[in-house]
Amino acid sequence: MVFETERLILRPWSEKDAESLYKYAKDPLVGPIAGWPVHTSVENSREIIKSVLSADETYAVCLKEDNIPIGSIGLFLSAQCHTRAEEDEIEIGYWIGVPFWGQGLIPEAVRALQKHAFLDLGCSAMWCGYYDGNEKSKRCQEKCGFTYHHTEKNKPCALMGDVRTEHFSYLTREQWQKNNDSVL
């Protein structure tokens, strides 16, 4: 599937996107705070596209003007969630390259996938988490209608080989509908 917003195209990743992915994923300000290591080469990024970013419901976040990836966003079924989730609930995760921070692009992408999850996939609720210190992700969640739910301490972060505190926020379909009545 492909989704379009005012400024973005959300589309499946392609191996041809490896160079653009590497450009933003090699920055140590991006991956480690989100729970994954910096990318080490274009080939490393290509492998990540093949092994991780090719999953269902995972999308390259691209500016409409050139359709080149500047970040990623994805939905994860309850069995893949970082926290306890019911069968009909989903989790959302995202990141964006440093040059695009503070422009409201990820909230725009999140809103598109919220609509998809609640209306197309029939999910009853959506989870989103962030690790201690990731205030940008916390702020994005607040902008998109999520409310704080709980904190999990001493959580293994397998890709980084450490233990972290992760905070979770939650949004029900009813809350989302109430917040979006004017646009539905």
Side-chain angles (χ1 to χ4, degrees):
M1 292 188 90
V2 175
F3 302 94
E4 287 194 28
T5 69
E6 182 183 336
R7 301 176 289 171
L8 301 172
I9 296 171
L10 310 179
R11 61 162 175 82
W13 283 91
S14 162
E15 287 184 46
K16 293 179 272 185
D17 297 322
E19 199 168 303
S20 179
L21 175 57
Y22 176 62
K23 178 178 180 179
Y24 301 113
K26 70 181 178 182
D27 191 317
L29 294 175
V30 176
I33 193 111
W36 46 270
V38 297
H39 290 203
T40 56
S41 66
V42 172
E43 188 51 41
N44 175 225
S45 291
R46 190 178 333 282
E47 287 304 313
I48 297 294
I49 290 169
K50 289 194 282 190
S51 63
V52 177
L53 299 177
S54 63
D56 289 345
E57 300 296 345
T58 301
Y59 304 93
V61 176
C62 308
L63 294 175
K64 271 188 172 177
E65 61 204 42
D66 59 16
N67 200 21
I68 296 172
I70 58 170
S72 188
I73 192 165
L75 298 173
F76 309 97
L77 300 175
S78 61
Q80 303 164 309
C81 288
H82 285 200
T83 192
R84 55 188 176 270
E86 298 297 323
E87 185 79 20
D88 63 345
E89 296 177 343
I90 205 157
E91 184 174 340
I92 191 165
Y94 48 79
W95 65 266
I96 194 165
V98 173
F100 305 96
W101 287 5
Q103 299 177 32
L105 295 169
I106 285 297
E108 189 173 317
V110 167
R111 288 183 192 105
L113 286 194
Q114 285 175 327
K115 183 176 181 181
H116 172 57
F118 292 130
L119 298 184
D120 302 334
L121 302 179
C123 296
S124 68
M126 182 177 282
W127 291 94
C128 196
Y130 66 93
Y131 292 116
D132 255 357
N134 194 345
E135 293 301 312
K136 288 174 179 33
S137 186
K138 176 184 178 185
R139 183 70 190 115
C140 175
Q141 292 170 41
E142 292 168 349
K143 287 179 184 177
C144 293
F146 289 91
T147 56
Y148 172 79
H149 190 274
H150 71 279
T151 295
E152 296 179 19
K153 296 183 178 189
N154 302 313
K155 259 191 106 157
C157 181
L159 294 176
M160 294 302 290
D162 60 15
V163 176
R164 300 181 177 198
T165 296
E166 189 168 9
H167 308 279
F168 289 92
S169 60
Y170 189 70
L171 178 68
T172 66
R173 179 173 42 228
E174 291 77 21
Q175 291 167 323
W176 176 81
Q177 286 173 320
K178 183 180 175 189
N179 294 342
N180 291 280
D181 271 342
S182 62
V183 294
L184 292 179

